[in-house]
Amino acid sequence: MISQTVTKLCYKNKAILAPMVRVGTLPMRLLALDYGADIVYCEELIDLKMMRCKRVVNEVLNTIDYVATDDRVVFRTCEKERNHVVFQMGTADAQRALAVAQLVENDVAGIDVNMGCPKEYSTKLEETIDLVQRIQRTGVAAVAVHGRRKEERPQHPVHHDVIKAIAESVSIPVIANGGSQDHIREFNDLEKFRQTTNASSVMVARAAMWNPSIFRKEGLLPIEDVLKEYIKYAIRYDSHCSNTKYCVCQMLRERLESPRGKRLHGAQSNLEICEIFEMAEYYQEVIDCQDTNLIQPVLFSLNSRRDYPPQITPKMILIEWCRKQKLPQPVYETVQRPSDRLFNSVVTVADKKYTSSCWDKTKKVVEQSTAIVCLRSLGVPEGKLCDGETPLKHKRKRDDDILKCMNSSQCVIDTVHSTMLTEPERNSYYLWPLFITLFP
Ligand SMILES: Cc1cc2nc3c(=O)[nH]c(=O)nc-3n(C[C@H](O)[C@H](O)[C@H](O)COP(=O)(O)O)c2cc1C
């Protein structure tokens, strides 16, 4: 259970994981914390995208998820990082920034506004100092400074003298950043960089991306060990395969040309990545554990009329699937709630029951919703247009009313009963819960 207490973050004498797109997701943040980072930033997330997200408590993974309208998880966090994670947003609008901050404030330890893409104002030292002093007057808790000019690339030397001048011109903590290329090779270098810049704390991006054990006081660990720990978190927290692959590639660096690196390039799923690093057993353990112990609800929304073709219905697809599997036909138990006279339905397929959280005034809609839940749980395409042509298309009569209703409503649907989850399902949002409903 996620508790409600959040301690105020102190930015002095801290080793910090920098914000990094694609890299700074939950697995990397947790790993950096394990190795000794004090504060971890998430990747930059754009205000407009966040504002369209819904906050969902994911009881399967024990996380808080911010889920976009296309069901993708935009930001995932958990209790372990609650007092350490800083949410970085990309914004150019105060109202939107405030709205996003209010949306996430109870789940994170700090909020950061990315001003990192260099603007004209940051080209002159006096103007930069003036800007930082103005920022200080707004009441911010700290400023992180990446000591490079607009035209400079990450491989150019960092201007530690500029960071120092800024650190000495304000009273709030300044976090020195930009030292990965030339200065930071191991943990002790963080303190050296802090002293050189006279900053309060040090933030590390690339050196941590290449080997997150940079935060380990006792010294770096072999990358082979580190990347396995990373993969474990990626599986545990159901990271998208492309994200896992990207981070592991960054860790392998020059070893990417090895046979193993080449196999990694071709990997299409987290399972394949696990196989490459002899971790298939671990993968299976996690999946089995999630499968057997949990009744897994499904959440998804039907928010586009174009989602479903008019010619077929999910119920038809389910009947056809049962026929092909030589299973008895699906049995629907549809009940009406006396309080508001809305219907809900439970379908039984192969002795398992599936339902949705959709209560509707028509039996047809709830039965179709239930059929979708069942099909998705079984990993069967349910006839959405994006699934391509279905064999049933054109064969059945139109049922426009149902589909119109389903496509225009925002159904929130959950399923009961765990099924063997395949990876594409796990990576889609709709497997994560809104409700848990138990059946006897
Ligand atoms: C892969 C990658 C992604 C990055 N994404 C972000 C980001 O989302 N927000 C941000 O403010 N900076 C981002 N940066 C910049 C870093 O946070 C950091 O300022 C820069 O890499 C210099 O620090 P370093 O020398 O420790 O690498 C990114 C850098 C890298 C390498």
Side-chain angles (χ1 to χ4, degrees):
M1 221 24 228
I2 306 270
S3 73
Q4 287 302 311
T5 41
V6 182
T7 54
K8 201 165 181 238
L9 203 53
C10 162
Y11 292 89
K12 287 186 186 155
N13 289 315
K14 297 290 188 285
I16 301 172
L17 175 72
M20 280 183 279
V21 168
R22 298 186 78 184
V23 177
T25 55
L26 186 58
M28 178 60 87
R29 299 197 302 265
L30 292 178
L31 193 56
L33 287 174
D34 285 351
Y35 289 133
D38 303 296
I39 297 174
V40 288
Y41 279 55
C42 75
E43 60 182 332
E44 179 190 45
L45 295 167
I46 304 301
D47 56 4
L48 281 168
K49 194 168 190 182
M50 281 304 295
M51 283 168 74
R52 287 195 285 265
C53 284
K54 193 169 179 170
R55 180 187 184 275
V56 179
V57 177
N58 182 332
E59 296 189 26
V60 175
L61 298 181
N62 243 326
T63 55
I64 300 292
D65 296 346
Y66 286 83
V67 184
T69 46
D70 62 0
D71 295 339
R72 290 210 170 260
V73 178
V74 175
F75 177 57
R76 171 167 284 161
T77 184
C78 67
E79 178 67 13
K80 192 171 168 187
E81 67 168 4
R82 179 87 180 277
N83 294 328
H84 306 274
V85 64
V86 173
F87 180 92
Q88 185 185 68
M89 72 172 99
T91 184
D93 180 281
Q95 293 305 319
R96 289 205 301 265
L98 179 64
V100 173
Q102 287 173 337
L103 179 70
V104 300
E105 65 180 345
N106 292 325
D107 296 322
V108 299
I111 307 268
D112 177 89
V113 174
N114 187 6
M115 300 182 72
C117 301
K119 310 274 187 308
E120 287 303 328
Y121 57 69
S122 58
T123 55
K124 291 201 186 107
L125 180 58
E126 316 84 72
E127 287 174 22
T128 302
I129 288 178
D130 183 54
L131 174 73
V132 178
Q133 288 173 342
R134 276 167 55 206
I135 291 172
Q136 173 175 251
R137 287 197 292 277
T138 67
V140 298
V143 177
V145 181
H146 172 189
R148 285 194 176 81
R149 294 205 177 92
K150 184 182 165 189
E151 64 283 1
E152 289 173 338
R153 310 305 331 143
Q155 59 273 18
H156 289 125
V158 64
H159 298 280
H160 41 77
D161 51 331
V162 175
I163 302 177
K164 187 166 185 273
I166 293 170
E168 289 167 358
S169 71
V170 289
S171 55
I172 51 171
V174 165
I175 303 163
N177 171 236
S180 282
Q181 188 73 29
D182 302 316
H183 299 271
I184 298 170
R185 296 269 174 276
E186 55 174 356
F187 180 78
N188 290 339
D189 296 333
L190 270 76
E191 175 57 14
K192 286 185 205 152
F193 191 58
R194 193 192 68 74
Q195 286 181 11
T196 313
T197 54
N198 210 3
S200 294
S201 294
V202 172
M203 172 184 271
V204 188
R206 287 164 297 166
M209 172 177 79
W210 297 325
N211 189 336
S213 71
I214 191 86
F215 293 110
R216 210 169 154 265
K217 288 190 179 66
E218 301 81 10
L220 283 171
L221 290 171
I223 198 64
E224 282 285 318
D225 299 345
V226 173
L227 66 81
K228 285 189 174 174
E229 294 306 312
Y230 175 83
I231 292 171
K232 282 187 188 169
Y233 271 133
I235 303 306
R236 160 75 181 83
Y237 287 103
D238 194 27
S239 267
H240 195 279
C241 157
S242 61
N243 198 223
T244 315
K245 186 161 135 180
Y246 182 79
C247 288
V248 177
C249 283
Q250 299 306 318
M251 291 182 205
L252 279 183
R253 298 185 78 186
E254 61 276 2
R255 273 162 282 191
L256 263 179
E257 290 312 310
S258 67
R260 198 177 240 198
K262 285 183 181 152
R263 277 180 70 202
L264 181 64
H265 265 308
Q268 299 284 340
S269 67
N270 277 335
L271 175 58
E272 273 182 64
I273 296 174
C274 283
E275 281 165 354
I276 294 165
F277 294 97
E278 283 106 41
M279 296 175 71
E281 225 169 273
Y282 176 82
Y283 179 92
Q284 205 49 56
E285 270 168 33
V286 175
I287 303 298
D288 287 349
C289 170
Q290 290 182 347
D291 257 352
T292 50
N293 299 335
L294 291 161
I295 288 177
Q296 301 199 338
V298 172
L299 162 68
F300 69 96
S301 53
L302 303 165
N303 48 16
S304 158
R305 278 216 59 179
R306 285 172 294 129
D307 269 1
Y308 290 88
Q311 293 90 345
I312 56 151
T313 67
K315 275 180 80 176
M316 292 174 187
I317 303 270
L318 186 57
I319 291 171
E320 187 72 6
W321 185 81
C322 289
R323 194 184 59 73
K324 280 197 182 141
Q325 302 296 315
K326 303 200 183 340
L327 290 169
Q329 289 297 291
V331 177
Y332 292 84
E333 296 159 59
T334 303
V335 292
Q336 194 175 33
R337 198 161 54 185
S339 57
D340 51 13
R341 302 177 65 79
L342 296 181
F343 290 100
N344 183 251
S345 180
V346 177
V347 64
T348 306
V349 172
D351 295 330
K352 289 183 181 176
K353 289 179 189 294
Y354 303 83
T355 190
S356 91
S357 62
C358 175
W359 287 82
D360 193 272
K361 55 183 183 305
T362 64
K363 281 186 183 178
K364 283 178 179 177
V365 166
V366 296
E367 287 179 2
Q368 296 294 357
S369 306
T370 299
I372 292 173
V373 168
C374 178
L375 288 164
R376 289 194 178 189
S377 301
L378 294 166
V380 182
E382 82 264 7
K384 283 175 80 170
L385 286 177
C386 58
D387 296 323
E389 288 289 312
T390 136
L392 283 175
K393 207 167 167 182
H394 309 300
K395 257 173 109 178
R396 309 284 177 160
K397 73 175 174 57
R398 283 174 171 258
D399 207 340
D400 267 349
D401 284 350
I402 307 165
L403 290 157
K404 196 166 133 193
C405 189
M406 290 178 70
N407 283 336
S408 62
S409 71
Q410 282 273 337
C411 298
V412 176
I413 295 178
D414 55 288
T415 187
V416 227
H417 219 297
S418 58
T419 55
M420 185 64 199
L421 303 181
T422 61
E423 195 164 309
E425 287 175 288
R426 297 184 75 240
N427 285 332
S428 309
Y429 186 72
Y430 53 67
L431 273 164
W432 309 128
L434 244 206
F435 316 95
I436 303 257
T437 318
L438 291 172
F439 277 78

